[in-house]
Structures are given as C-alpha cells and as structure tokens.
Amino acid sequence: MNRFKFIVVSIFFINSYLIANLLESKNSNINNFLLQKYKPTFTNKKTLVEYYKQNNYQTFWTQNNEIKHISIQLLEKIKNDPVLESDDLDKLKIAQIENKLESLNNLDENFEEKLLEIDFLLTELYDKYSSYLLEGSINWKAFQNKLKDLEKQSEIKAQWDRYKIEKDKKRLLIEASKNNDLSISFNELDYNFPNANKLLDSIKQLEQIAQNGDYIKLPPFKTLRIGDKSPIVKTLRERLAQSENISINCENIIDAQNLATNITSLDANMQNQEIQTEENISCEEIFDEDLKNAVISFQQSHGLYADGIVGLQTQNFLNMSAKEKIKKIKLNLERMRWLPRDFGEKYLLVNIPEYRLRVIENDNIKLNMAVIVGDKKYPTPIFSDKMSYIVLNPNWNIPESITKKEILPKLLKDPNYLDTKGIEIYQGWDRDASKIETKEVIETLILQDIESVPNFRFTQGPSNENPLGKVKFMFPNRHAVYLHDTPAKSLFANARRAYSHGCIRLSKPQELLNLIATDDKNMTLQKADEFFKEANEKSVGLNNKIPIHIIYLTAWVDENGKLQFREDIYNFDKMQKELLF
C-alpha cells in the first residue's frame, strides 16, 4: 500500500515537473517572440510586455491553438460602436485584423507564430480602445488651449475639469480573459451616465431619418401660432410628425367660417407666402390646438419657452438636420467619458445647458429644480466635488471683479450707494481685517483709477438685498463656486437662465435644505429655523458629505425616456467638435 502511494506521488511530481517545464518553455517562447520579432502597431513594446508579464506570459485571446470568444467580442464591440466612424475603424485596422483571423490555417508551418502575432495585435487593440473608453476622443490638451485663448482674447475665464478615472486595464483584461467575457472589463471602463444606452439607440433612429431624406425643412417665416392658416402649417405638421410630436392625421375638412374669432391673419407676418382664403380648407393647413400642443412638446424637449408659438428659435431647432443631431449626440457621449464611473449613492447633478439641478438617491430623483447659471461672460465651471457644509444667513464677500466693474463706478456716482445696499468695507480679506469708512474709499477713488485701488473687501450682510438669499451650500473648490438662494425669484420663469457671475442660484433652496436635514445629524430643520431667526451668519458642517457633479450636456435622454437637446450656451460644442478623434 505504501509502495503504491509512493508510485502515485512520484507520477504526480513527474507530471507536474513536465507541465511546469512545458509552460516555462511556452512562456519563454512568448517573451522571446514579443521582444525579438514582433513590431507593435498601436502601442509601444514596453506597454505590451507589461500586459503579458502581469499575465505570467500567457496568451489572452487564444487558447489551445484556437481563437477565444473574447477576440470576436472585442472586434464586434468596436465595429458596433455608434460613435466611431468608418475612418476610425480604418485607423484601428479592423478589416485587416479580421482578414488575419479568417486566413489562419493550423496546417501552416508558421501557424503558432501567426497565432501569437494575432494575440499581441488584439492586446494592442484592446489597450487603445480601452483608453478611448476611459478618456474619449476629444483632444483634451487642445481643448484646454482653446479655453486659454478664449481668456486671452475675450477675458472669459471658462474652466472644465476632467474627472480622473483610475482603472487598471491590464488587471481587467486578465479577469476578462479567464472568464472569456470582455464585458467584465468594458462594464468598468465605459461610462454609465443615466440612460446613456437610450441615447446611443437614438443615433440609429436618427440615421434612419437621414437615410429617408432627413427632416423636412421649413421655409422662412416670422411666426406661426394657433389660428393661423397656411400651406406652411401643413409643412410644420409633417415635420413634427417626423419627431413623433403629433400624428399626421386630422379631420379632412374644416369650415373656415367656424374657426375661433381669434384667428390671426399672416399678411403682416409671413414673408412672400400666400394665405388660403377659400371657404373650405384642409385641416392640415390650420394651426389648431393639437398642433399647438405638439409645438409645446417640441419646445420642452429643446429647452425653449414652451408657449406653442413657432418663432425664430423654435424654427432653428426644427430645421436642425438629423446628421447635425447625430453629431451633437456623439459629442455629448464623448463628454460622458470625462465623468465619474460612480456618481455616489446620493448625489447632486447640475446640467448647465438645461438650467436644472437634480438630487438623485439610489437612481431615484428626490428633487428636481430650475437653477440660474453663469452668464456667457462668466461661465459656471464644469467639475465634480463634495458638499461639506452649509451657511445660513450668509454674508456676501463681493468678488474683486464685480467690485471694480460694478460697485466702485456706482459708488462714485452715488456716495450713499453702499448704505442703501447694506455693504460694508474692510481693509483686506482676512477675517480680522479692520473696517474702513466709505469716505476713505471715495477719496482713494478720486486720486486713483479704479484698477489701482487697493484690494478692499466689500461685504454685504444678511438682508433682502443680499444676492445669496438665506442659505448657501458649500463644496470648497479652486473655482470659488457654490449653490445659493436668491431674492430674484422672477428670473426662474425664463427659459434661458444664464445670469450669474458663475455661482448657481437655486429656485428651491429650502427644499434642498430640508432634504439634506432629514439625512444629516449635524443639520436638522429645527436647528436651521433657530439659526434663521438669529439673522447672523452661521456655518454648519455636514456629517455626510454629498457628491456634486456640475456637467455640460446639450444632448441626453431624460428620466422619462425623452430625447433632449439644448442650446450650446458657452460654445463648448463648437470648440470640441473640431477636436474629435
């Protein structure tokens, strides 16, 4: 019995030794071939060696002289990427790689070497495509240079921080190769913005519209509204049917005499368009209630003032071609690659072109409000951070740029201006800076030009005049940007809400405060009410820091599955589309 055990153990060790030698020999062949014969196509040899070194010099894409499933998976993923164009696929040599795979013949005397070459080539392709999934194809450095040029030429300081994503592409490939499933890697590398897949699907729909002759173009006119009758109304109806805002069908004949008395003539409105005056006209040529509702639906999905009147802005979006929309969607998909892969369990999302803030928790929208963002001259920066404290009854330390451009010129005209606004002046920006009299500042202004005036701090205390309102939400950042209340509530009724100097004004600050207070032991509603009554500035640190992501999307699919487009208010679309690939 003991002798039998000895024989079994001996055989086991002999086999293990032989297997180890075979593996070592194979590993040595892979390493030698890689170092001595192979010429990389997409990456450098050092990077490629590191992939195989981490995988113990085992192949990723081939096994037992056969092509693994993940090889085909990689090629199909790239070929079906809706953002990549045909010339992008040419640059990635997809057709050549497929030809190499198809021409493989295990009877060829160089079969093993050819198989190794394909394995190396697919690893290179994976590395290049993975970098694209992580970083996108917009030339980041060139974009940053454009922002610097904008500041030099127009004194507009636009800032965009790309979120740095830390992912180990090599480790992910090793795991994917072991499981023969590349989705293990791609699911971690690729963006996961809400409804991104639906946005991808919309490209196919728009491509179909483009293939069928594109969207119908509207001829020039000033405005169209309910009650108007014209052949252009029929064209408008057909165009809105294309984007599924209305059904093309309507009642065949409408008696013009029975139209509402508020029907307006287009004589002064239309440009070189004849108006039908027959007693009976086609319903398709009458701007009725259904068409008004269709226009409102279209306006809402494009961020326009939803009044049902087709003016110039609505016409511009209606006349945007399917190809233009596809380009806009692709550009925004690329921007999503600059965003975190994990937004947080609970987070704030501010989309600048949409002028909206959402609080999202476990994929559910807890709060959705209108916001005011930076004017084109003072664009709100794009970045991610964490909200760490709240300030109740905030003082407003007026930025130096606003002081010199707005406050000081008004002070020269009216010496009592600061008193009417509750603004005090301090010697500097330190907390203990001494207060100085308005008279001293005016005397300095008289003797010097505004640009040469010392760096005084102008501070407006809590009041109805204070533009920060009753509360501000702080996430300390290099841009000095935060969320805050505002006394100017009427501005939220406007469709275009770019009025601030960069900070974000909230239409529902109290609701945001309530939402935070229900989930943070440091900030309760009772505490907040007590602090508000004191009318002095009070800072409260949050026990739970909340991620906030300020983004810039001009095309996306919303929480209701509706495709949305917005105006490129800061001209970032225009800058970035020149830098794709």
Side-chain angles (χ1 to χ4, degrees):
M1 187 69 177
N2 289 337
R3 187 179 175 190
F4 174 74
K5 283 183 178 179
F6 174 76
I7 293 169
V8 170
V9 170
S10 298
I11 292 170
F12 171 78
F13 278 113
I14 290 168
N15 285 340
S16 298
Y17 176 77
L18 290 171
I19 290 168
N21 276 346
L22 283 170
L23 285 174
E24 188 178 341
S25 174
K26 185 180 179 183
N27 293 352
S28 179
N29 287 340
I30 290 174
N31 192 28
N32 290 337
F33 186 75
L34 177 57
L35 290 173
Q36 297 171 17
K37 294 185 180 181
Y38 185 72
K39 293 181 180 179
T41 304
F42 301 120
T43 187
N44 59 63
K45 192 167 284 191
K46 183 180 177 183
T47 300
L48 201 53
V49 167
E50 192 59 37
Y51 267 98
Y52 286 90
K53 183 179 178 182
Q54 288 194 25
N55 199 34
N56 297 318
Y57 292 101
Q58 299 293 304
T59 54
F60 290 105
W61 312 92
T62 60
Q63 192 172 27
N64 299 327
N65 289 342
E66 291 184 352
I67 299 295
K68 291 169 67 175
H69 166 68
I70 56 169
S71 304
I72 309 304
Q73 205 178 356
L74 175 64
L75 294 171
E76 289 300 314
K77 169 76 173 174
I78 297 172
K79 280 164 60 180
N80 294 318
D81 190 317
V83 178
L84 300 179
E85 305 285 351
S86 57
D87 17 335
D88 301 319
L89 299 180
D90 291 342
K91 289 173 189 174
L92 293 172
K93 303 186 183 298
I94 299 300
Q96 291 96 313
I97 294 171
E98 287 183 321
N99 288 337
K100 281 179 181 286
L101 287 170
E102 288 172 10
S103 63
L104 273 176
N105 186 343
N106 58 6
L107 297 177
D108 192 325
E109 61 177 341
N110 296 322
F111 174 72
E112 288 191 4
E113 282 196 1
K114 287 183 177 179
L115 207 59
L116 269 182
E117 282 184 353
I118 285 174
D119 204 277
F120 298 155
L121 187 54
L122 288 172
T123 302
E124 286 190 76
L125 183 63
Y126 164 85
D127 182 73
K128 189 165 185 65
Y129 186 64
S130 295
S131 295
Y132 158 67
L133 293 182
L134 281 172
E135 301 168 7
S137 62
I138 301 169
N139 188 323
W140 175 256
K141 189 175 180 181
F143 173 54
Q144 292 300 305
N145 288 335
K146 278 183 175 287
L147 295 185
K148 289 175 184 175
D149 290 342
L150 180 67
E151 187 173 2
K152 285 178 184 175
Q153 295 165 12
S154 308
E155 295 185 353
I156 295 173
K157 191 173 183 179
Q159 295 174 301
W160 191 316
D161 294 351
R162 179 173 60 175
Y163 191 89
K164 186 151 181 72
I165 300 158
E166 303 290 346
K167 295 289 181 182
D168 188 340
K169 298 183 290 182
K170 300 177 184 68
R171 178 191 63 79
L172 290 171
L173 178 56
I174 291 168
E175 190 178 344
S177 180
K178 283 179 181 175
N179 292 277
N180 204 16
D181 183 4
L182 211 51
S183 64
I184 291 170
S185 176
F186 289 157
N187 288 345
E188 282 207 39
L189 296 170
D190 214 353
Y191 50 64
N192 57 358
F193 190 81
N195 288 333
N197 288 334
K198 290 182 180 178
L199 187 60
L200 283 167
D201 291 340
S202 68
I203 293 176
K204 298 171 188 173
Q205 298 165 8
L206 288 164
E207 283 175 341
Q208 192 64 48
I209 289 170
Q211 288 168 13
N212 293 337
D214 214 332
Y215 285 120
I216 296 165
K217 291 284 185 186
L218 295 172
F221 62 92
K222 288 183 180 178
T223 58
L224 281 174
R225 65 186 72 211
I226 191 166
D228 288 344
K229 49 189 187 295
S230 163
I232 297 179
V233 174
K234 182 180 178 181
T235 307
L236 172 63
R237 191 181 294 273
E238 290 169 348
R239 166 63 188 85
L240 288 169
Q242 283 182 300
S243 51
E244 299 181 352
N245 295 103
I246 195 172
S247 169
I248 196 66
N249 299 319
C250 63
E251 294 180 16
N252 290 329
I253 299 294
I254 292 181
D255 185 352
Q257 300 301 319
N258 293 331
L259 289 175
T261 55
N262 66 344
I263 288 180
T264 57
S265 170
L266 296 182
D267 286 341
N269 220 357
M270 305 294 292
Q271 296 177 351
N272 303 319
Q273 298 292 332
E274 286 190 11
I275 309 304
Q276 287 190 351
T277 56
E278 293 90 342
E279 184 174 321
N280 292 317
I281 59 175
S282 167
C283 69
E284 293 175 345
E285 298 180 4
I286 297 175
F287 200 126
D288 58 14
E289 190 72 30
D290 285 344
L291 186 55
K292 179 184 175 181
N293 291 334
V295 171
I296 288 172
S297 173
F298 181 86
Q299 289 170 328
Q300 287 171 337
S301 64
H302 291 75
L304 301 167
Y305 186 68
D307 56 2
I309 299 171
V310 186
L312 183 59
Q313 280 189 306
T314 304
Q315 290 175 56
N316 288 340
F317 273 111
L318 283 166
N319 281 334
M320 183 185 288
S321 71
K323 286 185 178 180
E324 285 177 288
K325 288 194 168 186
I326 289 169
K327 286 179 182 177
K328 200 175 185 76
I329 288 171
K330 288 184 176 183
L331 184 64
N332 282 274
L333 285 165
E334 291 302 281
R335 284 184 186 140
M336 290 178 187
R337 303 194 188 284
W338 294 346
L339 297 174
R341 298 301 184 260
D342 182 5
F343 289 92
E345 186 178 304
K346 179 179 181 179
Y347 61 93
L348 279 69
L349 191 71
V350 182
N351 186 14
I352 301 300
E354 189 188 8
Y355 309 108
R356 295 204 78 79
L357 175 148
R358 291 174 178 81
V359 179
I360 301 169
E361 186 173 7
N362 296 322
D363 299 327
N364 296 313
I365 296 174
K366 298 294 185 180
L367 183 61
N368 187 339
M369 74 170 86
V371 298
I372 288 169
V373 302
D375 182 80
K376 190 174 180 179
K377 291 182 180 179
Y378 306 98
T380 299
I382 314 303
F383 67 105
S384 293
D385 216 302
K386 284 189 176 182
M387 186 189 298
S388 56
Y389 70 99
I390 295 172
V391 181
L392 306 174
N393 303 316
N395 293 315
W396 184 39
N397 292 318
I398 305 171
E400 187 181 352
S401 59
I402 298 176
T403 299
K404 289 186 175 180
K405 289 180 182 177
E406 299 177 24
I407 305 295
L408 295 180
K410 289 176 181 177
L411 182 60
L412 277 173
K413 290 180 181 178
D414 179 7
N416 297 317
Y417 173 75
L418 299 185
D419 293 333
T420 63
K421 299 295 180 181
I423 297 173
E424 295 179 336
I425 313 169
Y426 295 86
Q427 190 68 51
W429 289 81
D430 296 335
R431 285 185 85 119
D432 301 326
S434 58
K435 189 177 173 182
I436 55 178
E437 296 298 322
T438 306
K439 184 180 177 182
E440 292 181 43
V441 176
I442 293 173
E443 287 173 356
T444 305
L445 285 171
I446 293 170
L447 294 172
Q448 302 178 32
D449 64 275
I450 287 175
E451 287 301 320
S452 303
V453 169
N455 193 15
F456 297 129
R457 170 164 57 95
F458 287 67
T459 299
Q460 188 171 31
S463 70
N464 293 332
E465 293 281 347
N466 190 317
L468 303 185
K470 292 185 175 182
V471 58
K472 63 179 181 178
F473 302 84
M474 304 299 292
F475 37 102
N477 56 83
R478 71 184 183 92
H479 310 290
V481 165
Y482 46 86
L483 311 176
H484 66 86
D485 182 16
T486 175
K489 304 295 186 186
S490 62
L491 295 176
F492 290 107
N494 298 342
R496 193 181 186 282
R497 297 189 293 274
Y499 302 117
S500 84
H501 285 80
C503 286
I504 298 165
R505 305 177 198 170
L506 307 175
S507 61
K508 301 176 183 177
Q510 188 64 48
E511 290 186 31
L512 179 57
L513 182 63
N514 293 351
L515 192 62
I516 292 170
T518 57
D519 195 33
D520 198 291
K521 65 182 183 183
N522 289 355
M523 169 57 74
T524 65
L525 292 176
Q526 185 180 353
K527 277 185 181 179
D529 288 339
E530 289 171 2
F531 294 144
F532 279 136
K533 288 174 185 175
E534 291 177 11
N536 293 318
E537 184 178 86
K538 179 69 177 181
S539 294
V540 182
L542 296 179
N543 184 55
N544 301 317
K545 293 180 172 57
I546 308 170
I548 176 168
H549 309 289
I550 302 173
I551 64 174
Y552 193 92
L553 293 181
T554 53
W556 74 97
V557 173
D558 69 14
E559 55 270 17
N560 300 312
K562 184 87 172 174
L563 180 60
Q564 299 282 339
F565 291 96
R566 289 297 184 274
E567 177 194 5
D568 178 25
I569 56 175
Y570 296 157
N571 288 327
F572 288 151
D573 282 10
K574 187 177 179 182
M575 287 184 200
Q576 292 175 4
K577 70 181 180 182
E578 300 170 2
L579 306 174
L580 275 168
F581 296 100

